[in-house]
Amino acid sequence: MADSCKPTMIANNGVMDHEFRLAENDTDFGERIEYLKRSGYVLLCLFCREDYATRDLFRLTYIFESQENRHIYEMEYGTSCNAVSIAELFPTASLYEREITDGFGIPFSGSFDTRRLILHAAYPKDFHPLKKSFRNGPVNVREYVPEEELYKFRRLEGKGVYEVAVGPVHAGVIEPGHFRFSVIGEAIFNLETRLYYLHRGIEKLAEGKKPAECLKIAESISGDESVANSVCFCLAAEKIAGIRPSLRAETLRGIALEMERICSLLSDCAGMLTDVAYPVGASRFMALKEECMRMNKKLFGHRFIRGYITIGGVSADIGSTDLLLLESFADRIGESVKEAYDSAVTSSSVIDRLATTGIVRQSLIRPLNLTGPVARSSGGRRDVRTDYPYGIYNHHTPEIPSHDTGDVLSRFMQKAEEIQASARFIKSITGEMPAGEIKTSGTDIHDGCAFAMVEGARGQNLHYLEIRDGKIWRYKVRTASFTNWLSIEHAVIGNIVPDFPVINKSLNLSYAGNDL
Amino acid sequence: MKGFFGKLIQKPLTERIEVTDSDFERYGSMLKAEINSVFKRSIAIREVDCGSDNAAEIEINNLSSPYYDIERFGVTFVASPRHADVLFVTGAVTHNMRYALKKTYDATPSPKFVVAIGDEACTGGIFKDSYAICGPVSSVVQVDLEIPGNPPEPVEMIKGLLTLMKKAKTD
C-alpha cells in the first residue's frame, strides 16, 4: 500500500476540519478506492461542485468514514467531463452518481444504473440544473413524454409473479412516492422505490444567497427536522466565519434539538400503533406529541421551532419560569411515555404484528450507511452526538439506547426509549443552564467551505457549505433519509404487502428530506 | 365468568383528556352546523402533497389527534379522491408531481373544492424562483380557498373549513 493512500484524520473533537486532497490525475484513484473498501470504510457522501477559480472543472468530493477509529476521510477528484463509477465497490454510490449525472451532466463510466434520478421524465433532455451556466428560473417541461423515455422499473418475471404499484399519491395523509412490489402469492420478493416527487431544487435555490437568507431553506428541507437541519447549516456557516456560540446558546439549541427529536419519535410510535389497528395506544402517543408541540410554541414561538436557530446562536431566550416548567414537563413526558409503551407492549395483538416483521439485518448497516434509530435497533451503535460531538454534546453526553433484533418491534422499543433518554437529557441540561449571551454577534462571513454533521431524529445529517464572495456557491445536503431509504427495499422482503405500512412507518423516512 | 362480569362494571379504560383549546371547540361547533346545512352531515377530504416539506401533513394529521378529533364535527379524511368532496393540497407544485395532482383532481367527483394549505401552496413561498416547481396550486388546478401559514396550525385549518362551507353555501 502506497503511503499516499493512508487516510487523513480530518474530523476531531466535534468540529469537522476539512482538508482538500487534490487528485487531478486519476492514476491512483482506483487503487485508493480499493484500499478504502478493503479497510472497511463506509461511504458517507459523494457530491459534485463546480470549481470557483477555473469554472470549467468539476470537483467530486468523496467522504468516507472509518467506523472503528471514528475518523473521516475526504477525497477529491477533479474532472472536466467524465468520471469513474465506484458503485461496484460501494453500491450506495450509485444513487449519488445518478444524482450528479442529473445535476451536472457528468457521466460515470462503469455504472450499473444510469436512469435519471431527481429529474423525472417531464424535464427536457440535457437539462442540468446544478451547473453554474443554468440560471435558476422557470423551465419549460414537456407535456408529452415519448414511451421509450418513461422510467424503466426493474422487471421480475416468472410463474405466479405479479406487480403491485402504489403511489405517488398514497391512501393516507402522507408524502408522495412510488413503490413497485413484485409479489408471489402473498410474499413480497422485490420492492423498487421511486422517489423525488418532492424535488424542489433546494440546493440550487440556496446558491447566490447570503448564508442568513438560506436559513429558511434549511428549515424547509424536512418538516419535522427544522432544528436539526438549521443547526447543521449554522454549524457549517459558523465554522467558516469562525464564530462560536455561547454555552447558553448551545444549551438552548440542545433543548430545541431534543424537543424536536421527542416530537418526531412520539409521532413514529403513534403511527406504528395506528398501522396495526391499536388506536387506544396510538392516541396516547398522539396526545403527548400535541403537548410537546404546544410546549414548543410556548418556549420557542413556533410549533415546529422555526425561525429560532440563527447563525451565531438562537433568536430568543427562555426565562427561568419557563425553564422550570420545561423541567417538570420533561419528567412528565418520560413517565407518560413509559406508561403508554407498557400498555402497547402488553397487548398480544400488537406484539404479534410487530415482532419479526420487517427485519433490517445488522450486516446492512455498513454497506448502506444506515444511521439513527433504524441502525441502532439493528445492533448499530453510532450516533453523531457521541461520535463527533457538537454544541452542547461536547459538555453533556446523552444516553444512547440500542437493540439488536432489527424488526419493527425493536424499532418501536428503540424509539420509545430514545424519547425517555431525550427527556432526561433535557432535564439534565436545563438544570445546569449557564448564563451568557444567546447570540454571538456576527463577524463577516468569510469565504471558505466546511462540513457539519448533526444527529437528527432520523439519524446523521450532513451539510456541506461553500461560500464565495460572501454568497453561497455550493450547498450540499445529505440527510439520514437519503441513506436509510435503501433499507426499506431489504426490510420488506418475505413480508406480506399488508405489513408494508407498518414497516414503512417504523423506518419513518422523510420523502421531502430525500428529494430536496 | 367472574372476569367477564367484572369487566362490565369496571370504569372505562380510556382516560379523559382535558381539552384546553376553546377556540377550536367554538369553531368546530360552528363548522358542524355549516356542514349539516350544506352537506347534510359530513364532508370527506382527500389530502395531496405536491411539494410540501411534510410540516403541513403533520398538522393535518394532528387534526385527528385526541386533542382536536375533528371527526366529531363531521370532517373525515378519506383514502381515495373518488370519495372526496374537498382536496387539501399542500406545497408548491413540483414538476414531478404536477401530473399526479391533475389526475387526482380529475378523479375527484364534481362538485369539488380545492383548498391550498400553507404559504408554498398559496403563493409558491420560498420556492417561487426554483426551476423545480411549476408554481402555486392555483397554477395547476382551480383553487377555492387559501389557508396560508408555515404551516397553518390546526385552529387555522378549521377556520378555513368554516369559510369554505360558507362559500359553498352561497355558490
Side-chain angles (χ1 to χ4, degrees), chain B residues 45-90:
Chain B
I45 302 177
R46 171 66 244 180
E47 196 269 349
V48 195
D49 177 354
C50 292
S52 139
D53 60 16
N54 199 34
E57 278 66 33
I58 291 170
E59 289 291 37
I60 293 169
N61 273 321
N62 283 346
L63 287 172
S64 307
S65 84
Y67 268 82
Y68 301 106
D69 189 20
I70 199 168
E71 213 155 295
R72 68 207 152 108
F73 303 126
V75 179
T76 54
F77 288 95
V78 292
S80 164
R82 296 196 194 281
H83 307 154
D85 306 302
V86 179
L87 289 181
F88 265 19
V89 189
T90 62

Side-chain angles (χ1 to χ4, degrees), chain A residues 423-496:
Chain A
R424 282 192 291 270
F425 185 78
I426 289 178
K427 191 157 185 261
S428 73
I429 59 172
T430 44
E432 295 171 34
M433 194 74 187
E437 291 287 304
I438 56 158
K439 191 175 175 186
T440 309
S441 47
T443 47
D444 287 334
I445 296 274
H446 313 288
D447 285 4
C449 44
F451 288 106
M453 287 207 295
V454 160
E455 182 80 15
R458 295 183 172 89
Q460 173 197 66
N461 282 3
L462 193 153
H463 289 218
Y464 168 84
L465 190 63
E466 180 171 354
I467 294 172
R468 299 288 173 196
D469 297 332
K471 286 177 182 161
I472 292 170
W473 175 257
R474 180 80 171 101
Y475 179 36
K476 169 68 196 169
V477 179
R478 202 235 59 212
T479 62
S481 299
F482 187 86
T483 53
N484 285 357
W485 257 113
L486 290 164
S487 66
I488 201 163
E489 296 185 355
H490 297 269
V492 297
I493 291 175
N495 289 265
I496 57 174

Side-chain angles (χ1 to χ4, degrees), chain A residues 242-264:
Chain A
I243 308 171
R244 185 89 199 243
S246 71
L247 192 54
R248 188 175 180 89
E250 284 184 341
T251 312
L252 290 167
R253 280 183 181 183
I255 296 171
L257 280 163
E258 296 303 324
M259 281 298 275
E260 181 177 76
R261 187 183 324 278
I262 290 175
C263 272
S264 174

Side-chain angles (χ1 to χ4, degrees), chain A residues 152-157 163 180 182 190 192:
Chain A
K152 288 188 181 53
F153 285 93
R154 270 172 256 139
R155 183 134 226 144
L156 294 149
E157 285 166 344
E163 272 188 352
R180 191 65 66 94
S182 298
N190 189 58
E192 189 174 355

Side-chain angles (χ1 to χ4, degrees), chain A residues 188 353-365 368 370 374-375 377-379 403-411 484 486-496 499-500 502-504 506-507:
Chain A
I188 301 165
R353 288 288 304 279
L354 301 188
T356 71
T357 304
I359 294 173
V360 175
R361 285 194 304 277
Q362 187 172 6
S363 56
L364 284 173
I365 294 177
L368 302 185
L370 303 182
V374 171
S377 53
S378 292
H403 284 270
D404 291 318
T405 42
D407 54 359
V408 177
L409 180 62
S410 75
R411 287 193 281 278
N484 285 357
L486 290 164
S487 66
I488 201 163
E489 296 185 355
H490 297 269
V492 297
I493 291 175
N495 289 265
I496 57 174
D499 273 339
F500 175 73
V502 72
I503 298 172
N504 190 14
S506 72
L507 296 167

